[in-house]
Amino acid sequence: MTSLKGSLQLLERLVNNLTSPMLPKLIAQSSRSMHKITALVEDLLNLSRINQDRLQLTKSAFVLSKIVSAGSSEIRLAEEYKIIVTGDLELEVFADEHQIDQVLVNFINNAVKYAPRSKDIIVSIEKINDMARVSVTDKGPGIRPEEAKRIFERYYRVETAGFQTGGLGLGLYISAEIIKKHEGRIGVESEPGKGSTFWFTIPIEI
Ligand code: ADP
């Protein structure tokens, strides 16, 4: 919010100088801050719905790989990351598209935040019996087993020196609640120093 305020104040000063070279930078910065605030508000709204047991699913049929390309375009805007989608690109599910998109965006955003040097992020889509499995793999620092057990808890964050993040520790908790509501499973496989694979399964129901 402070960053958005700052760039808007500078933009206000430039209002009579529309040729300033600062303009594109300030607009991009405002837009990034706005995205962050939107995500934060969405997290807080979801948290309050979960607390009141009012997280509802609006299900429709959609192709899982479509949401990967729609969601990841936002991420590509901000950074030079490559999202590689593999597996069953035609796989269709009957689920809450917006909420599943949120889980996926959360996994991908986390890969960008916590594995910043891992430029390739691999999203894999598979059909396992009557379930769809989606996973996001990065080649970042990984997570120690004792922490991996806890990161889906509300407000849990791994405090690692050197990471400039500023999250609330809500993303994975909300993701876990969304997947639970779909009667699926969520988890992480990780080897410290090698990277992490965050995954979830949901019933296909088609
Ligand atoms: P936040 O990002 O707000 O901290 P999350 O619930 O999304 O909240 O994540 C919880 C914690 O899990 C993070 O603080 C981070 O330490 C760890 N984490 C999540 N994704 C990754 C990843 N891809 N690599 C390493 N650590 C991760």
Side-chain angles (χ1 to χ4, degrees), residues 106 110-111 113-114 138 142-143 151 156-158 167-172 196 198:
N106 184 32
N110 277 351
K113 268 198 308 193
Y114 301 109
D138 66 64
I143 301 156
I151 52 173
Y156 189 81
R157 309 198 63 228
V158 182
L168 289 176
L170 283 176
L172 290 177
S196 316
F198 281 84

Side-chain angles (χ1 to χ4, degrees), residues 1-9 29-30 32-38 40-41 44:
M1 207 113 70
T2 315
S3 155
L4 179 61
K5 230 192 228 167
S7 24
L8 286 176
Q9 268 165 5
Q29 194 175 317
S30 311
R32 269 201 303 276
S33 309
M34 193 61 224
H35 273 307
K36 278 193 190 158
I37 295 172
T38 311
L40 184 69
V41 170
L44 293 173

Side-chain angles (χ1 to χ4, degrees), residues 4 16 18 44 72 93 103 118 125 132 158 167 169 171 191:
L4 179 61
N16 293 321
L18 293 180
L44 293 173
S72 57
V93 292
V103 176
S118 168
I125 301 170
V158 182
E191 206 180 317

Side-chain angles (χ1 to χ4, degrees), residues 39-49 155 168 170 174:
L40 184 69
V41 170
E42 182 124 22
D43 273 0
L44 293 173
L45 282 174
N46 271 330
L47 183 69
S48 117
R49 285 187 198 114
Y155 303 126
L168 289 176
L170 283 176
I174 292 168

Side-chain angles (χ1 to χ4, degrees), residues 120-175:
D120 287 354
I121 297 164
I122 298 156
V123 178
S124 163
I125 301 170
E126 291 162 279
K127 179 179 183 299
I128 303 172
N129 303 320
D130 52 355
M131 303 292 276
R133 183 185 194 271
V134 180
S135 64
V136 175
T137 300
D138 66 64
K139 296 204 165 42
I143 301 156
R144 293 206 304 271
E146 60 272 32
E147 274 147 359
K149 265 192 271 174
R150 301 199 51 197
I151 52 173
F152 294 95
E153 291 172 16
R154 182 165 34 169
Y155 303 126
Y156 189 81
R157 309 198 63 228
V158 182
E159 293 302 337
T160 316
F163 280 135
Q164 285 283 315
T165 50
L168 289 176
L170 283 176
L172 290 177
Y173 168 71
I174 292 168
S175 300

